[in-house]
Amino acid sequence: MNFELSPEITAMCEAVTGFAQRDLTGPDSFEPIDFRRRWELAGKQGILGATVPTQYGGSGLDAVAAVALMEALGSGCADTGFAFSAAAHLFACLMPITEFGTEEQCRHWLPRLCSGELVAAHAITEAEAGSDIFNMSARAVRDGDHYVLNGTKVFTTNAPIADVFLVQAVTSPGSGFFGVTAFLIGAATPGLRVGPPYAKIGLRGSPTAEVHFADCRVPADCVLGGEGAGASVFTGSMKWERTCLFGIYLGAMRRVLDSTIVYAGERVQFGSPIGEFQAVSHRIVDMLARLESAALLLNKAAVELSRGGNCEVSAGLAKIAVSEAAVQIGLDAIQLRGALGVTAGDAETLLRDAVPSRIFSGTNEIQKNNVARALGLGRKRR
C-alpha cells in the first residue's frame, strides 16, 4: 500500500501542526471559557468537521487523510485531552449523523457542529454496560409522537460542555442488537441533567461526566437511523473512532520521541551525552520501532475504511498497537529522563494520557475478542 500523502494533504497537516502549537495548547485541566475559545478556533480551521461532506460544512476528507490530520493535531497540541475531545466529537458524533441522519437532521446539526459553534457528546456507556454494551438499562418508551427516556450514562466525553447528545437507549427489551435506538437530544431538553466533571488520571483537558435522564421527552423526529438502529449507529461510530482518533496518539508519541532524542543528545553523564550509551540508544530505537509499527497498522485500517471495506480486524489490531505503544513509549521517555521524567513534562503527560487509550473505544481485551471472533474463534455473541 502507498501511504504517501498528496502535496495538498501534506501542506494541510503542516498548517494544522503549526496552528495547534500556536493556538490550541492550553492548561492541563478543563476550563470552560478557554475550552470554548480554542474549540471555535479549531472549527474555523476545519478540524472539527474534517470528514463531514462539504455540503454540510465539512472538508470531506477520507479516513487516510483524517489519520494524517489527527496525527498533525496530536503532534502540535500538547493538550492531548483537548485533541481527544475534538476527535470524539467528529468521529463518534458527527460521522454517525452523516451516515444515518435524515437530510433535515444533517442540515440542522452538522454545519454548526463543524464550525465549532456547537459541541457534541456520545452517551452510551453505563455503570453496568461498558464492554457488555447491550446490557444497558436506559429505556426509551414511545408516547405518541415522543419518546420518554430514563436512565444514566457514565464516562461521557464532552458532556459538561455539550450542546447536543447522541444517546443510545433500549426501546425493545430482549431484542438485543435490534432493541437499541439512537437519539439526538439538545442539552437544554427538560429531564436531561449533566453531572460534575470527573477528575481523571489523564486527558484532563477533555471534560467527562455522567448524563442523567428523568422522564426526558424527546420528539420522534430526533431518532437517528430509525427505531432499532442504535446498535448500527454505535458500530459505525466505533469504526471511525477506532481508526481515526488514534492518529492523535501517533502525533503525541512522535512529539515526545523527538524531544527524547534531543534530551539524549544534550544530557551528559560520565563525560558523554547519554545517547552514546547503548542502553539509551537501543531503548530509543525500540521506541521508534513501536511507533512506526503502530502507524503502519493504523494507516492500513484507514485505507480499508476509505475503500468501504470491513475494517473490524485491522481497526482492532491498530487500536491495540497504538495504545500499547503509547503507554510503553511514555514509560521509556520517563525512564530515559531519570528523575526529571517524573516531574511535570511531556513524558509524564504522555503516559497519563496514554493509559486511558487502552480502555476507551472498547478495551484492548475486547478488541482481541472482536478480532478472535472475526477469525472464527472465541465465544459467540448471544
Side-chain angles (χ1 to χ4, degrees), residues 310-334:
N310 181 0
C311 57
E312 181 177 25
V313 171
S314 58
L317 293 175
K319 192 269 185 187
I320 294 169
V322 174
S323 58
E324 295 294 346
V327 170
Q328 188 58 54
I329 287 175
L331 288 169
D332 289 338
I334 289 173

Side-chain angles (χ1 to χ4, degrees), residues 6 24 173:
S6 68
L24 294 187

Side-chain angles (χ1 to χ4, degrees), residues 270-328:
F270 306 103
S272 300
I274 63 173
E276 293 183 3
F277 302 129
Q278 281 190 347
V280 173
S281 63
H282 286 190
R283 189 184 289 262
I284 291 176
V285 171
D286 287 340
M287 293 167 70
L288 177 61
R290 289 189 183 92
L291 170 57
E292 295 299 339
S293 300
L296 286 171
L297 280 170
L298 191 62
N299 279 287
K300 180 177 185 293
V303 168
E304 293 186 12
L305 179 56
S306 294
R307 293 174 177 172
N310 181 0
C311 57
E312 181 177 25
V313 171
S314 58
L317 293 175
K319 192 269 185 187
I320 294 169
V322 174
S323 58
E324 295 294 346
V327 170
Q328 188 58 54

